[in-house]
Amino acid sequence: MKISEIKVLVTCPGRNFVTVKIVTDAGVYGLGDATINGREQAVIACLNEHVVPCLIDRDPQDIEDIWQYLYRGVYWRRGPIGMAAIAAIDMALWDIKGKIAGLPVYQLLGGRSRKSVTLYAHANGETIDETLENAAALMDQGFKAIRLQSAIPGLPVTYGVLGEQKDYFELQGNRPLPPEEEWSTKKYYKLVVELFKKAREKFGPDVHLLHDVHSRLTPIEAARLSKLLEPYDLMFLEDACIAENQDSFKLVRNHTVTPLAIGETFNSIWDCKELIQNQWIDYIRAAATHAGGITGLRRIIDFAAIHDVKSAPHGAPDLSPICFAAHMHLDSWAPNFGIQEYSGAVNEQTAKIFKHAHEVNDGTAFVSDAPGLGVDFDEEAAAEYPYKRSYLPVSRLEDGTMWHW
């Protein structure tokens, strides 16, 4: 069996998705997700110009060798664009392998470690009361773990709270340029402590509560917030500060016992090696699409298991249902699985393009036993929604200084 064709397909059913379809001379095909939000065309060019020509006529079952070829075989290793390209190829090859074997991917990884995958949902609101009302509605649906985000009084826009806008396209208006948002740590501190104080008073101790700082704090500010939130027993505090300098989390860890999670922008084991081996974090949140696919993320998960760090893969709306399926298979297998982020059901247009039988019920996900990843892609439906340039926002302090997004 040989790879005969590789298609790179982009569609925008509300947001952009980049999909790789590997077709073999036996007619078996596999799908992978290569979406880099706001840099979609860069990974498309990387795939079409540099990766695809190298893989035609190769054996699609040589997953490990192809992964090493794409990673070791270039001088410019790592980085979000290159690793997303590798990730999409890798997912598609695992999909093909499963279809050939007649088995779901989790069986190829070693089988199940659990019956279902626990999810955490997002409760956002313009006010604390609205956030808590939305959290209560999610609890009624069966979710036992909920991320809380609320608008910060005194700031025009807050991460995770889009107001009347449905997505970042609407924030950009008629000009597709990055919207700019203001940030104030002082205003944020007051809001977030009150949010979790009221949440515990309302919901009691049993529901798991989470929060995403989105890297807006310095290490010492993150340490202070983590300490302030200790009485409210968070499942974890996500992205408390930037970890380009991994030692930053040593400072945070030394000041608090609030569990810490990070990793959604990580591209390889090297981005989190010290964080994991020093146990400065409790959950690693790398995504298959951004960290080298199933092969790359499995390495990170295995390394984390040695150091009692749990997996909690990123699950943002800009990761396609193909990535969600890859996570479901990894989550079902991983012995050190912690929890899976779930940003909600996809819209009608996306569901028309990406078809699957994976189920979400009572706050948990149930992976399909279909061979491979269990997702199909309707090219005709995808063509109805052409690419639309978009950016994530940028952040500035109130005095205009550029800050972390």
Side-chain angles (χ1 to χ4, degrees):
M1 183 180 292
K2 302 293 182 184
I3 295 172
S4 59
E5 182 183 14
I6 301 178
K7 298 181 181 180
V8 181
L9 306 159
V10 61
T11 184
C12 185
R15 60 179 60 230
N16 293 314
F17 297 116
V18 179
T19 300
V20 167
K21 182 176 184 179
I22 298 180
V23 183
T24 70
D25 58 6
V28 181
Y29 64 87
L31 301 170
D33 180 26
T35 307
I36 295 286
N37 196 347
R39 293 295 184 270
E40 298 90 351
Q41 294 292 347
V43 73
I44 291 168
C46 179
L47 283 159
N48 281 330
E49 296 297 326
H50 306 295
V51 174
V52 169
C54 297
L55 301 182
I56 301 301
D57 290 333
R58 288 182 177 268
D59 187 338
Q61 296 196 73
D62 293 340
I63 297 175
E64 185 64 36
D65 184 68
I66 289 175
W67 196 97
Q68 296 294 341
Y69 176 85
L70 295 175
Y71 182 82
R72 291 188 180 186
V74 296
Y75 186 71
W76 305 105
R77 296 187 183 186
R78 301 164 60 191
I81 304 304
M83 294 306 287
I86 292 174
I89 297 296
D90 184 77
M91 286 185 218
L93 296 179
W94 278 100
D95 194 19
I96 290 170
K97 177 82 81 172
K99 290 174 180 176
I100 294 170
L103 294 171
V105 165
Y106 74 80
Q107 293 287 15
L108 304 181
L109 295 171
R112 294 181 188 269
S113 292
R114 57 198 48 80
K115 295 178 181 178
S116 61
V117 173
T118 303
L119 308 172
Y120 75 86
H122 296 180
N124 307 325
E126 292 290 338
T127 64
I128 289 176
D129 288 343
E130 183 181 336
T131 299
L132 298 185
E133 288 174 9
N134 292 334
L138 290 169
M139 292 172 66
D140 289 342
Q141 295 174 34
F143 287 95
K144 300 173 180 61
I146 301 171
R147 192 188 81 171
L148 304 180
Q149 309 289 144
S150 185
I152 302 169
L155 295 182
V157 182
T158 301
Y159 162 74
V161 183
L162 294 178
E164 296 179 356
Q165 286 81 23
K166 297 178 181 179
D167 55 41
Y168 288 120
F169 287 118
E170 294 189 24
L171 283 177
Q172 295 169 83
N174 295 323
R175 291 197 311 148
L177 296 174
E180 297 194 4
E181 301 177 354
E182 290 183 1
W183 176 256
S184 167
T185 296
K186 184 175 182 179
K187 293 173 181 176
Y188 170 68
Y189 273 154
K190 181 179 180 181
L191 175 279
V192 74
V193 173
E194 184 180 1
L195 171 63
F196 282 91
K197 180 176 184 293
K198 288 188 173 181
R200 279 296 174 219
E201 290 172 353
K202 183 178 180 69
F203 300 128
D206 293 335
V207 62
H208 295 294
L209 300 179
L210 308 89
H211 180 68
D212 184 2
V213 181
H214 220 256
S215 305
R216 302 299 172 84
L217 304 179
T218 65
I220 196 63
E221 289 172 344
R224 181 186 178 199
L225 179 65
S226 303
K227 191 71 176 175
L228 289 171
L229 292 175
E230 282 182 5
Y232 310 115
D233 189 26
L234 271 64
M235 184 176 191
F236 63 66
L237 186 66
E238 177 187 343
D239 291 350
C241 62
I242 288 288
E244 291 168 333
N245 175 9
Q246 295 186 39
D247 282 344
S248 294
F249 268 75
K250 179 180 180 181
L251 186 153
V252 181
R253 171 63 89 207
N254 286 343
H255 283 82
T256 184
V257 293
T258 294
L260 303 171
I262 196 169
E264 66 185 59
T265 63
F266 292 173
N267 308 133
S268 76
I269 185 67
W270 303 108
D271 293 313
C272 51
K273 176 177 175 288
E274 294 173 28
L275 292 171
I276 292 171
Q277 70 185 20
N278 291 307
Q279 297 180 311
W280 294 336
I281 60 172
D282 302 276
Y283 294 84
I284 182 64
R285 301 203 59 254
T289 296
H290 301 144
I294 292 171
T295 298
L297 186 51
R298 181 176 63 167
R299 287 202 173 91
I300 294 173
I301 292 171
D302 270 335
F303 184 71
I306 299 171
H307 301 282
D308 294 317
V309 172
K310 295 180 179 180
S311 67
H314 188 41
D318 56 296
L319 296 166
S320 87
I322 298 170
C323 181
F324 181 74
H327 287 164
M328 292 303 99
H329 289 280
L330 283 161
D331 296 341
S332 297
W333 153 78
N336 57 323
F337 170 71
I339 198 163
Q340 172 64 52
E341 181 179 17
Y342 179 67
S343 54
V346 299
N347 62 27
E348 182 180 344
Q349 296 91 336
T350 303
K352 184 170 67 171
I353 297 167
F354 299 91
K355 300 176 180 179
H356 63 83
H358 304 300
E359 296 181 7
V360 173
N361 184 33
D362 200 29
T364 58
F366 300 85
V367 67
S368 165
D369 278 329
L373 291 175
V375 181
D376 210 349
F377 184 84
D378 189 325
E379 294 186 46
E380 290 186 6
E384 297 176 17
Y385 306 98
Y387 166 77
K388 182 179 179 182
R389 186 174 58 172
S390 174
Y391 298 95
L392 291 172
V394 298
S395 288
R396 294 182 182 272
L397 301 182
E398 290 179 296
D399 68 358
T401 304
M402 281 298 305
W403 201 238
H404 307 298
W405 162 246

